Amino acid sequence: MTTENGRDLTAVCKAAPNGYVLQVVRDDSSRPLAEKHLHDWPGWPEFPPAAAAAAGSELVMLGYMVWPDTVTPDSLIGWRRVPGERAWSAMVATFADLQAHGL
């Protein structure tokens, strides 16, 4: 079940020993709905635009997409650094949620 506005999913790209781990979680849970290990990516703290775009592509293959309206001049293609952590996050939705919101 999604929240009323359908914005209760977050993708997190966390630093790992050999790249990153990409997870999609519901905001009220830490249990991943989807997870993919992204090996041989740039080491932390690097998260260049190419990595943000690649993480977005990986999300699509998992059935999710970054909310288009979160791609702003102060974000990296919708991704934002998680303060105090070795991670980046983005608000995401399923394709059905995006279609239900006219996107």
Side-chain angles (χ1 to χ4, degrees):
M1 174 187 289
T2 61
T3 60
E4 190 172 304
N5 65 8
R7 293 182 183 244
D8 65 340
L9 299 177
T10 300
V12 178
C13 218
K14 302 177 188 179
N18 187 22
Y20 288 85
V21 174
L22 177 64
Q23 295 179 329
V24 175
V25 296
R26 194 166 304 284
D27 291 346
D28 61 358
S29 173
S30 61
R31 182 176 174 190
L33 299 171
E35 180 174 280
K36 180 155 188 185
H37 293 269
L38 307 172
H39 301 287
D40 301 320
W41 277 34
W44 184 263
E46 296 297 317
F47 195 74
S57 295
E58 294 294 343
L59 281 172
V60 168
M61 292 191 296
L62 293 171
Y64 300 90
M65 190 171 139
V66 173
W67 279 94
D69 60 0
T70 64
V71 178
T72 61
D74 64 334
S75 74
L76 183 59
I77 317 173
W79 294 91
R80 298 180 189 289
R81 187 176 232 157
V82 177
E85 293 187 36
R86 296 175 40 169
W88 290 75
S89 69
M91 291 179 61
V92 299
T94 64
F95 299 128
D97 280 342
L98 290 168
Q99 286 179 326
H101 284 83
L103 300 172

